[in-house]
Amino acid sequence: IQDHRGHKEGSPMTIIYSTATCATCKMVESLFKRFNHPYKKIMMDEDHEAQQKVFKATGVLTAPITYINGKYIVGYSPAKLMREVKGE
């Protein structure tokens, strides 16, 4: 698990479920970095428990899957991700 930009205890956490070969996962990370949005990255190809958790919640095993504001967003959708970053 990697933290980005010092997640503050008690604040909502954004999690990017990623894999080592996922190019679009890097795009999600870049988007969050550009807007200074804190996130945690979990590598599903190394953490099979996390992989199963995400599969149960979404029904898919593709990456990226971003957990933000209590919602799962599958794939790279800048518009959806930014709405959640802004709390809209």
Side-chain angles (χ1 to χ4, degrees):
I1 299 176
Q2 297 174 345
D3 284 319
H4 174 70
R5 300 191 192 261
H7 171 65
K8 293 178 186 159
E9 198 63 41
S11 64
M13 173 50 73
T14 296
I15 302 170
I16 302 170
Y17 292 94
S18 184
T19 63
T21 59
C22 177
T24 51
C25 296
K26 290 173 181 50
M27 293 168 68
V28 173
E29 284 186 71
S30 292
L31 181 73
F32 288 153
K33 286 178 184 176
R34 190 171 347 137
F35 291 94
N36 202 28
H37 183 77
Y39 65 88
K40 185 181 287 188
K41 180 169 71 173
I42 296 177
M43 302 301 287
M44 290 192 294
D45 44 3
E46 298 169 7
D47 186 339
H48 297 289
E49 191 175 308
Q51 185 182 59
Q52 289 304 310
K53 175 184 171 183
V54 170
F55 180 71
K56 275 185 167 181
T58 66
V60 296
L61 282 176
T62 188
I65 297 173
T66 306
Y67 181 78
I68 183 169
N69 297 337
K71 301 173 191 167
Y72 288 95
I73 297 174
V74 178
Y76 178 65
S77 176
K80 284 183 187 177
L81 292 166
M82 288 312 301
R83 275 196 301 272
E84 293 302 326
V85 166
K86 294 176 182 177
E88 296 175 355

